[in-house]
């Protein structure tokens, strides 16, 4: 992983060796056997969960990918670059201001919540879950996840172009000049905000121009974060790939490298990806639908400790107001919980 630390979209001329490394189409498809996955999950001690834009999309977050993935007339990779910011910091800040304001209206979805609940439950069992996310929206954090590596940074952090100071910033708007700006419609004209009115550093004696503290295309990932992610992936005994297209590098290499050393990898996605055939499991469908049953759930649960025959009347009543989940515990046995 050390040789590829620069964020980029995969292309055949940039990564010909990776293109050749994908398994051939005639290989057996990954399993969608949930019971088999849960058996492995019940015994895993160190679980790595890699997440991408597909998870956030289910919360209504624009992904700026694929057909229709434009802000005004630009795609993200045309705006999320150091060169774009150097040429037109006003336009780039409008783009990120729009994304920040949108995120303030969005909430974690069942996939985020299932991951956070899983982390807490396994922590109590002496097991570990680490989320390695490409997303910059902090929805995992808001869902309650604690052990998170945000390899592409955060929308809600800024970095000074002059002094390098990085800080959290949840101001809305982030500066007065951006209030009401950033509309995504193709006919909207650039605000052309003077650079001195864009977000500025508040460190004493600095007042330098701020930029979003995210990893732009062509930039190197933070070395400390990448090293931490490598350690997580090197020691994991189960890896989940959730809502990621497996085309943005270096993150697209993480799961295939884990699979190459024989560790089970399960992909949860709406469609196949270039890496699908490398994995042991593939669960097709919305992550918010497929992931919670795979991980189980906790939140406000009451464990059923008596038999169905004894509690049939109680169960019939509870089923009117709750849903069943099966939670694979560390001993491999399944326990039925009620969601109250």
């Amino acid at each position: 992983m050390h040789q590829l630390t620069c964020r980029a979209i995969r292309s055949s001329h940039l990564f010909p060796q990776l293109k050749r490394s994908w398994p051939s189409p005639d290989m057996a498809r990954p399993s969608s056997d949930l019971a088999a996955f849960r058996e492995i999950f019940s015994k895993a001690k160190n679980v790595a969960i890699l997440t991408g834009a597909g998870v956030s999309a289910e919360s209504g977050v624009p992904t700026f990918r694929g057909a229709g993935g434009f802000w005004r007339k630009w795609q993200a990779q045309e705006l999320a670059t150091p060169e774009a910011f150097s040429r037109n910091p006003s336009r780039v800040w409008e783009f990120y201001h729009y994304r920040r304001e949108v995120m303030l209206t969005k909430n974690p979805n069942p996939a985020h919540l299932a991951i956070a609940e899983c982390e807490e439950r396994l922590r109590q069992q002496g097991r570990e879950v680490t989320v390695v996310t490409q997303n910059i929206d902090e929805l995992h954090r808001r869902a309650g996840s604690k052990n998170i590596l945000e390899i592409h940074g955060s929308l809600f952090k800024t970095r000074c172009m002059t002094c390098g100071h990085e800080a959290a910033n949840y101001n809305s708007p982030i500066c007065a000049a951006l209030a009401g700006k950033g509309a995504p419609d193709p006919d909207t004209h650039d605000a052309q905000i003077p650079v001195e009115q864009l977000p500025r550093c508040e460190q004493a004696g600095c007042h330098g121009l701020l930029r979003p503290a995210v990893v732009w295309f062509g930039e190197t990932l933070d070395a400390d974060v990448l090293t931490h992610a490598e350690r997580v992936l090197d020691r994991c005994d189960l890896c989940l790939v959730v809502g990621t297209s497996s085309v943005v590098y270096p993150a697209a290499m993480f799961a295939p490298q884990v699979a190459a050393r024989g560790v089970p990898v399960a992909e949860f996605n709406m469609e196949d990806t270039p890496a699908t055939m490398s994995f042991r499991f593939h669960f097709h469908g919305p992550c918010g639908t497929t992931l919670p049953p795979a991980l189980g759930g906790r939140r406000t649960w009451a464990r059923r400790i008596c038999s169905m025959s004894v509690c049939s009347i109680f169960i019939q009543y509870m089923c009117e107001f709750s849903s069943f989940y099966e939670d694979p515990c560390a001993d491999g046995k399944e326990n039925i919980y009620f969601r109250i």
Side-chain angles (χ1 to χ4, degrees), residues 3 16 48 73 129 167 202 232 269 288 293 305 330:
Q3 75 274 20
K73 59 183 180 180
V129 173
E202 296 182 356
V232 167
N269 212 331
I305 57 175

Side-chain angles (χ1 to χ4, degrees), residues 9 73 98 141 152 156 201 229 253 257 307:
I9 299 290
K73 59 183 180 180
Y98 165 73
R141 199 173 301 279
H152 290 162
F156 297 100
C201 182
M253 290 188 65
Q257 288 184 339
S307 71

Side-chain angles (χ1 to χ4, degrees), residues 9-333:
I9 299 290
R10 171 177 172 263
S11 66
S12 58
H13 73 279
L14 288 176
F15 300 103
Q17 73 281 13
L18 297 178
K19 184 178 181 181
R20 289 195 299 269
S21 69
W22 298 126
S24 61
D26 58 352
M27 289 184 65
R29 282 204 47 87
S31 170
S32 58
D33 186 336
L34 184 58
F37 168 80
R38 290 164 69 84
E39 176 68 19
I40 293 172
F41 175 65
S42 70
K43 299 172 182 175
K45 301 298 183 184
N46 293 286
V47 182
I49 303 182
L50 313 179
T51 69
V55 180
S56 296
E58 292 180 30
S59 288
V61 178
T63 63
F64 301 103
R65 297 281 168 81
F70 288 82
W71 178 82
R72 296 181 185 168
K73 59 183 180 180
W74 296 280
Q75 290 189 306
Q77 55 265 40
E78 298 177 271
L79 298 167
T81 70
E83 295 78 16
F85 190 72
S86 178
R87 287 193 303 268
N88 197 329
S90 172
R91 177 186 296 157
V92 173
W93 259 121
E94 276 199 87
F95 174 58
Y96 280 95
H97 169 67
Y98 165 73
R99 297 180 71 179
R100 285 166 57 96
E101 296 298 303
V102 166
M103 281 315 309
L104 294 175
T105 71
K106 305 302 180 183
N107 293 302
N109 63 57
H112 295 107
L113 297 173
I115 291 169
E117 291 167 355
C118 173
E119 178 188 334
E120 174 61 18
R121 184 174 72 255
L122 267 60
R123 184 191 65 79
Q124 295 176 5
Q125 299 172 0
R127 302 155 72 193
E128 186 173 353
V129 173
T130 304
V131 177
V132 181
T133 186
Q134 300 174 68
N135 298 334
I136 60 176
D137 49 41
E138 296 195 1
L139 284 177
H140 283 298
R141 199 173 301 279
R142 288 169 55 191
S145 291
K146 302 291 193 300
N147 203 11
I148 312 169
L149 295 175
E150 296 169 320
I151 63 171
H152 290 162
S154 168
L155 276 174
F156 297 100
K157 290 180 181 177
T158 58
R159 184 183 312 126
C160 179
M161 299 286 289
T162 301
C163 73
H165 179 72
E166 191 168 306
N169 186 313
Y170 296 92
N171 295 339
S172 175
I174 190 169
C175 69
L178 282 166
K181 302 298 191 295
D185 309 291
D187 296 331
T188 303
H189 295 293
D190 285 355
Q192 297 183 347
I193 299 169
V195 67
E196 60 272 11
Q197 295 179 26
L198 292 173
R200 312 299 295 194
C201 182
E202 296 182 356
Q203 291 295 103
C206 184
H207 201 61
L209 176 65
L210 295 179
R211 56 160 282 178
V214 298
V215 180
W216 281 330
F217 291 101
E219 290 188 323
T220 301
L221 272 63
D222 181 275
D224 291 338
V225 174
L226 185 61
T227 298
H228 192 171
E230 290 174 350
R231 286 200 298 265
V232 167
L233 296 167
D234 285 344
R235 72 170 184 265
C236 75
D237 51 7
L238 176 63
C239 180
L240 279 62
V241 186
V242 185
T244 176
S245 60
S246 295
V247 296
V248 178
Y249 282 83
M253 290 188 65
F254 291 169
Q257 288 184 339
V258 171
R261 64 181 179 88
V263 174
V265 177
E267 183 177 55
F268 297 78
N269 212 331
M270 289 290 291
E271 57 191 9
D272 285 3
T273 71
T276 295
M277 298 300 290
S278 300
F279 303 148
R280 188 173 304 184
F281 298 96
H282 175 86
F283 297 99
H284 181 86
C287 303
T289 300
T290 58
L291 195 60
L295 298 183
R298 185 177 67 87
R299 194 164 282 206
T300 52
W301 303 102
R303 179 174 295 194
R304 193 187 72 164
I305 57 175
C306 46
S307 71
M308 291 287 287
S309 57
V310 174
C311 293
S312 58
I313 296 176
F314 174 69
I315 291 171
Q316 183 176 358
Y317 172 78
M318 289 298 295
C319 283
E320 297 295 322
F321 303 99
S322 61
S323 57
F324 282 99
Y325 283 77
E326 293 179 338
D327 177 27
C329 293
D331 59 4
K333 298 179 181 178

